[in-house]
Amino acid sequence: MRRLAERTPAHRDRTVDLLRAIAITAVVVGHWLAVHVSYDGGLRGGSALELVPWTRPLTWLFQVMPVFFLVGGYANAASLAAHRELGGDATCWTLRRTDRLIRPTTVLLAVLAAAALLARVLGVDPGLISVGVWVAGIPLWFLVAYLAVVALTPLTHALHRRYGLAVPIALTVLVGLGDAARLALRDPALGQGNFLFAWLAVHQLGFAWQDGRLPARPRVGLPLAFSGLAALVGLTVVGPYPISMVGIAGEGIQNTSPPTLALLALAATQTGLALSVHGPAGRWLRRPRPWTAVVAVNSIVMTLFLWHMTAVVLGALALYPTGLLPAPPPGTPMWLLLRLPWLAALALILGVLVMVFGSVERRAGPRPGAGATAGVTAGVLTFLGIAGVVAGLLTLAVTGPSGHTLTGLPIVAMLVYFAGASTLRFTRWRNSRTA
């Protein structure tokens, strides 16, 4: 990693990589802290946010998915602009950009299906298998949205070049309309477009940061951060939105399913803070040690994210039925103290998973080079492949533990996903041979 860090181009904005590393670390730790496991002859799990209400404001610190979409917008804009400068087209850029997302995801799904099948052969309770696979697949929620946003980047970046910050403002209005429909009519099905509109809005802010329309300076960042925080407090403490920035069962409206104006207020706060610390963070990252650490985390960022809930499943199976870790009532002093060995054990398990599967993310598969172009056929295949992957992942994400099959996953969704992933891989290979 040291050599890779030393080869970093001078023009690279290192703060973007730092924010990505911080975001993925916060997501992993936040999910681990939120899990509550008990054992009384059988494993049971739940969310500490439901059982310990005072933990809900902490989600303002650990809900950092907006940061991930923000830096994703910055990185995607820079990558697409460089690709176009070399004469490349949108199809080849999409094939390149989705490769690192889909390869490790494919391995995760294949391993989960194989592990579930093996567990069934060994006589493990099918209900336990279904719950375990479902928990391990929780990260797929995020991936559905992010893949869709990446695939739409050539279009949304074109809109940004023409209309600038008017695009995220318009998307925010759409989110508000979706919220209003849900709040007024009490129908949870309304506002489902916010799953796309909200994350696109944050992604567009990354475009604006990358081209300077949203300058990375305290005089811009601090007012944005304070305004976002004021809106967040007003919308949640005073207004109709819940405090928690993570979904809690039984709430009439949730801030993530689908995203709300309250979540966008949090995104504005985080964006303002990111712009404010840009200068000092960039200077600090000129030091070899912190920058090498950031490079190391970014080299396995998808592996960390995809496998961190698998670590929860393995940790629960290893620690609670064996009695290695007691399960006191949530919220008690002993429960809080035992969060530390719980985190340490999961970090160790995730470290082993990263050692086994991290190379999948780092190893580049066949894909067209920078500046490559593709024909109409490749464009159609890319569209069909992305559609299959997103549709398959969406079905996997929304299907609960009940109804899972012999492999622990819905068969049709798996077939659709692997058909899409195979189509994209074939198209990448085909274009890499002709580029």
Side-chain angles (χ1 to χ4, degrees), residues 234-267:
L235 290 169
T236 57
V237 177
V238 180
Y241 298 92
I243 293 288
S244 176
M245 290 295 117
V246 175
I248 297 176
E251 288 185 331
I253 187 170
Q254 300 184 9
N255 284 318
T256 55
S257 299
T260 63
L261 285 177
L263 186 64
L264 286 184
L266 177 65

Side-chain angles (χ1 to χ4, degrees), residues 143-179:
L143 198 59
V144 172
Y146 192 70
L147 267 172
V149 167
V150 170
L152 289 171
T153 292
L155 171 62
T156 55
H157 193 248
L159 290 174
H160 167 75
R161 291 199 308 271
R162 182 165 185 176
Y163 299 109
L165 290 170
V167 180
I169 292 173
L171 290 167
T172 301
V173 171
L174 290 176
V175 171
L177 292 174
D179 284 0

Side-chain angles (χ1 to χ4, degrees), residues 350-425:
L350 183 57
V352 174
L353 292 172
V354 168
M355 290 176 61
V356 174
F357 299 107
S359 61
V360 175
E361 180 178 359
R362 290 189 292 259
R363 184 176 62 249
R367 57 185 185 179
T373 58
V376 175
T377 301
V380 172
L381 290 174
T382 300
F383 173 80
L384 293 175
I386 293 290
V389 166
V390 171
L393 288 178
L394 180 59
T395 305
L396 291 169
V398 301
T399 303
S402 61
H404 284 172
T405 60
L406 188 64
T407 61
L409 295 162
I411 293 296
V412 174
M414 289 287 285
L415 291 175
V416 171
Y417 171 84
F418 280 108
S422 299
T423 300
L424 290 173
R425 184 174 179 83

Side-chain angles (χ1 to χ4, degrees), residues 103-388:
R103 276 186 297 109
T105 304
T106 301
V107 171
L108 171 70
L109 292 175
V111 171
L112 289 181
L117 183 59
L118 177 61
R120 288 291 291 269
V121 171
L122 295 175
V124 178
D125 176 31
L128 181 61
I129 295 173
S130 293
V131 172
V133 171
W134 176 75
V135 171
I138 285 176
L140 299 179
W141 271 108
F142 156 79
L143 198 59
V144 172
Y146 192 70
L147 267 172
V149 167
V150 170
L152 289 171
T153 292
L155 171 62
T156 55
H157 193 248
L159 290 174
H160 167 75
R161 291 199 308 271
R162 182 165 185 176
Y163 299 109
L165 290 170
V167 180
I169 292 173
L171 290 167
T172 301
V173 171
L174 290 176
V175 171
L177 292 174
D179 284 0
R182 281 196 295 162
L183 290 168
L185 302 177
R186 303 292 180 183
D187 186 348
L190 298 172
Q192 295 300 303
N194 288 4
F195 277 114
L196 184 61
F197 299 146
W199 295 125
L200 279 175
V202 182
H203 198 247
Q204 295 290 129
L205 293 180
F207 293 169
W209 177 10
Q210 190 271 333
D211 70 2
R213 300 191 199 204
L214 200 59
R217 298 171 187 169
R219 68 181 184 184
V220 174
L222 289 178
L224 179 60
F226 284 121
S227 299
L229 182 59
L232 180 59
V233 171
L235 290 169
T236 57
V237 177
V238 180
Y241 298 92
I243 293 288
S244 176
M245 290 295 117
V246 175
I248 297 176
E251 288 185 331
I253 187 170
Q254 300 184 9
N255 284 318
T256 55
S257 299
T260 63
L261 285 177
L263 186 64
L264 286 184
L266 177 65
T269 305
Q270 293 173 347
T271 300
L273 292 174
L275 297 175
S276 300
V277 303
H278 181 270
R283 290 189 291 271
W284 178 64
L285 290 172
R286 292 295 170 182
R287 300 179 181 179
R289 287 186 179 179
W291 176 237
T292 301
V294 168
V295 170
V297 173
N298 275 273
S299 70
I300 51 168
V301 69
M302 280 300 298
T303 307
L304 289 171
F305 179 74
L306 288 172
W307 290 92
H308 78 279
M309 292 306 292
T310 303
V312 169
V313 175
L314 297 176
L317 292 172
L319 297 174
Y320 289 99
T322 60
L324 290 175
L325 198 63
T332 61
M334 181 56 67
W335 179 81
L336 289 172
L337 184 62
L338 289 174
R339 295 284 87 186
L340 295 177
W342 168 249
L343 291 178
L346 296 189
L348 179 62
I349 295 170
L350 183 57
V352 174
L353 292 172
V354 168
M355 290 176 61
V356 174
F357 299 107
S359 61
V360 175
E361 180 178 359
R362 290 189 292 259
R363 184 176 62 249
R367 57 185 185 179
T373 58
V376 175
T377 301
V380 172
L381 290 174
T382 300
F383 173 80
L384 293 175
I386 293 290

Side-chain angles (χ1 to χ4, degrees), residues 19-96:
L19 292 172
R20 185 186 297 110
I22 292 173
I24 210 66
T25 302
V27 167
V28 170
V29 174
H31 279 170
W32 288 353
L33 288 174
V35 171
H36 170 68
V37 180
S38 61
Y39 183 78
D40 53 358
L43 273 176
R44 288 177 174 77
S47 171
L49 298 171
E50 298 175 11
L51 302 171
V52 189
W54 63 259
T55 61
R56 295 173 188 177
L58 297 177
T59 60
W60 290 19
L61 299 177
F62 288 101
Q63 175 54 277
V64 289
M65 275 305 171
V67 175
F68 204 93
F69 278 87
L70 174 71
V71 299
Y74 185 106
N76 289 333
S79 172
L80 180 60
H83 183 75
R84 289 194 182 281
E85 286 179 3
L86 294 173
D89 63 8
T91 297
C92 285
W93 180 86
T94 303
L95 288 170
R96 286 175 53 86

